[in-house]
Amino acid sequence: MEILAFGVQADERPLIEKAFAGHHDVRCLDVFLTEDTAPLAAGYEIVSTSVNADLGARVLRALADAGTKMIAQRSTGFDNIDLDAARELGLTVSRVSSYSPHSVAEFAWALALAVNRRIVRASNRTRDFDFRLDGLMGRDMRGRTVGVLGTGKIGEAFTRIAHGFGMNLLGWDVEPNPACVELGMRYVDKDELFVASDLVSLHLPLLDTTHHLVDGAALRLMKDDAILVNAGRGGLVDTEALVDELRDGRFAGVGLDVYEAEAGVFFLDKSLEAPEDDTLARLLTFPHVVVTSHQAYYTHDAVGQIVGATVANVADYLAGRRSGNTLTPAG
């Protein structure tokens, strides 16, 4: 059987081809699945997609009408999928429920340190042979307070690094993580976390209850010199409200690996086009803001695990099995 994989990055392609070798043929496309590209899947029973694929009702129906029966998404998040429509159409949909939590946790810390120590600005200066230190002063992390919203596997990995820095640990989640408590984390109300934290890092899924969890009110609770990092999901932060606070001169730094309107922008080369998203364009003008293109997961280790889980999901579908990765069963 030949499988069609949408949105495959150049670095990802050899891992996908190697993982499927000996099992199935796989055709890799660098284009993302959208309503315009869905006709490319005609005749493919199994389609694999990336996190920024459009899997709304119209696209799902187009896939189903053209013969697709199974969608294997190569990500943990699945808020881009209309699961009700998939069930109605009898489509099997799977995801990758977990992969290396260290990839995202380490990258979140890379963002925190980059904005705290002005790494990007310093690097840009030295490339121009400007070796001044003006405006590059950061702060020690040791002894300061970190607030971690979401203390699952990734949040726990982030917390372990914070513990290594010697930070005071605050957490917020629906249930405390015993491993984080053992490290000395104190679970508090989220408003208290926003008020007390020098660094706030987001590691939550995007749900109706977490959409814009960091809204204008939450941002105004934070210290003027706090650092905000989001390597979770873009919709956790009200970006318009964040821009308003930044325009008022607030925050020591903001590191974003995700953005709530990233679909159709992230993973693509837009360098020769006029920016269409005014909010994103304004974000990128602030010198103490670092935005990356949803790359926190992008390590050889994590992508290898994602691809391996995708191969297993396909095998489960063909054998008529369900697993913890199955979002909707066939039929």
Side-chain angles (χ1 to χ4, degrees), residues 1-5 20 24-28 44 46-48 314 318:
M1 178 178 295
E2 187 176 37
I3 296 165
L4 183 64
F20 276 103
H24 307 284
D25 294 329
V26 60
R27 180 187 173 198
C28 295
Y44 286 90
I46 300 174
V47 169
S48 179
V314 169
L318 293 174

Side-chain angles (χ1 to χ4, degrees), residues 33-55:
L33 177 59
T34 65
E35 193 169 351
D36 291 333
T37 61
L40 296 172
Y44 286 90
E45 181 178 344
I46 300 174
V47 169
S48 179
T49 58
S50 61
V51 68
N52 277 343
D54 176 359
L55 288 166

Side-chain angles (χ1 to χ4, degrees), residues 17 51 58 60 66 72 76 88 102 109 130 145 158 181 189 209 222 226 267 285 294 300 304-305:
E17 292 175 340
V51 68
R58 291 171 63 90
L60 290 174
T76 298
E88 291 176 5
H102 308 290
W109 266 109
D130 179 352
T145 298
F158 183 91
V181 173
D189 178 86
T209 54
M222 292 174 62
F267 304 149
T285 64
H294 205 141
H300 191 281
Q305 292 168 16

Side-chain angles (χ1 to χ4, degrees), residues 155-169:
E156 179 187 331
F158 183 91
T159 299
R160 289 189 182 279
I161 298 171
H163 180 262
F165 274 111
M167 302 187 76
N168 303 312
L169 309 175

Side-chain angles (χ1 to χ4, degrees), residues 11 14-15 18 100 103 297-307:
D11 298 330
L15 297 177
K18 181 178 179 180
S100 169
S103 60
Y297 79 99
Y298 205 53
T299 67
H300 191 281
D301 310 79
V303 174
Q305 292 168 16
I306 290 168
V307 172

